[in-house]
Amino acid sequence: VVIVSHADTPCTPCGACRQRLWEHGTAQTKVFLYTANSTSQAHQVYNLAELLPQPFVFDGEQAQES
């Protein structure tokens, strides 16, 4: 997953987006955060477990650890 913002620093996804990513990804899904700001070009990399350490898990549904 790649997220690009026009801010000076990379922007993390909101809580609702993190939960949705969790439901469709795995704990190890990589999330790459970039800024399109031509003076900075900073970036960060996380996995979903780092961004959402305690996700809401629906009945028996759980992100895979692979």
Side-chain angles (χ1 to χ4, degrees):
V1 175
V2 176
I3 299 171
V4 180
S5 72
H6 290 285
D8 291 334
T9 59
C11 178
T12 60
C14 72
C17 290
R18 292 176 196 206
Q19 179 65 38
R20 182 64 70 164
L21 289 169
W22 183 272
E23 293 167 11
H24 296 282
T26 70
Q28 298 306 315
T29 297
K30 296 291 184 192
V31 180
F32 299 86
L33 308 175
Y34 291 93
T35 177
N37 184 335
S38 62
T39 61
S40 174
Q41 296 191 7
H43 73 280
Q44 299 170 347
V45 180
Y46 296 95
N47 63 43
L48 283 180
E50 293 172 311
L51 289 175
L52 189 62
Q54 297 181 340
F56 179 78
V57 178
F58 298 100
D59 296 328
E61 183 180 309
Q62 189 169 346
Q64 303 296 317
E65 292 294 327
S66 58

